[in-house]
Amino acid sequence: QLKAPVPCPVADPPRNELVIRLQPDEAIYMKMNTKSPGLKNHILESELDLTYQSRYQGVKIPDAYERLILDVIRGDHQHFVRRDELVAAWKIFTPILHQLERERVQPVPYEYGSRGPPESDALIAKYGYTRSSN
């Protein structure tokens, strides 16, 4: 989400949003507030949409594992982690994993396909993010 819009005397518009969805259904789109055409002062939410399935109809878009297998066959290493990167990652995450195990932290369940658990709303609110209804 982008910063909250300036106060508007006509309506309380939602924030503009840049959405990048990786998988499934890759998409990049921008939700933005626009004035409706004509003389009335109505604010509409519109989208600049690059949803791959609708934009590139009839084109097979491989999933992530298909791409990686093809990279292996071609000998392309750019999407794989080097040894020193892996060692650095374990130095960061090993203490965190030990703490999670020691404190027996349980993951917060949420419904598949949802936007996540309700507890995430409180977390993101601390950083000024406000979830839109859609």
Side-chain angles (χ1 to χ4, degrees), residues 3 5 25-26 31 52 68 75 78 89 98 111 115 121 130:
K3 290 185 178 181
D25 304 325
E26 295 89 342
K31 293 181 181 180
Y52 277 45
L68 285 176
Q78 70 178 339
H98 286 302
E111 185 178 335
R115 293 181 75 157
D121 291 336
T130 306

Side-chain angles (χ1 to χ4, degrees), residues 12-99:
D12 187 21
R15 291 181 178 193
N16 294 330
E17 240 180 301
L18 175 64
V19 178
I20 301 173
R21 188 173 54 226
L22 300 178
Q23 279 198 348
D25 304 325
E26 295 89 342
I28 301 171
Y29 58 94
M30 176 88 180
K31 293 181 181 180
M32 48 193 291
N33 300 305
T34 59
K35 181 193 167 296
S36 65
L39 300 176
K40 294 185 179 179
N41 286 327
H42 290 202
I43 294 176
L44 300 173
E45 186 178 303
S46 60
E47 293 182 358
L48 299 172
D49 190 356
L50 175 59
T51 302
Y52 277 45
Q53 287 183 338
S54 61
R55 173 76 174 166
Y56 302 108
Q57 294 177 355
V59 175
K60 166 120 174 54
I61 300 171
D63 69 18
Y65 289 110
E66 287 177 294
R67 291 178 194 154
L68 285 176
I69 291 169
L70 184 58
D71 287 345
V72 168
I73 292 169
R74 290 180 174 164
D76 185 351
H77 298 269
Q78 70 178 339
H79 296 116
F80 296 91
V81 178
R82 292 190 331 251
R83 186 180 189 290
D84 58 331
E85 291 176 284
L86 187 60
V87 169
W90 278 114
K91 284 182 181 177
I92 294 168
F93 284 101
T94 299
I96 296 169
L97 293 171
H98 286 302
Q99 181 181 357

Side-chain angles (χ1 to χ4, degrees), residues 100-121:
L100 291 172
E101 191 173 277
R102 202 173 35 253
E103 296 176 11
R104 299 186 185 277
V105 175
Q106 295 298 312
V108 178
Y110 60 92
E111 185 178 335
Y112 172 80
S114 71
R115 293 181 75 157
E119 291 86 348
S120 65
D121 291 336

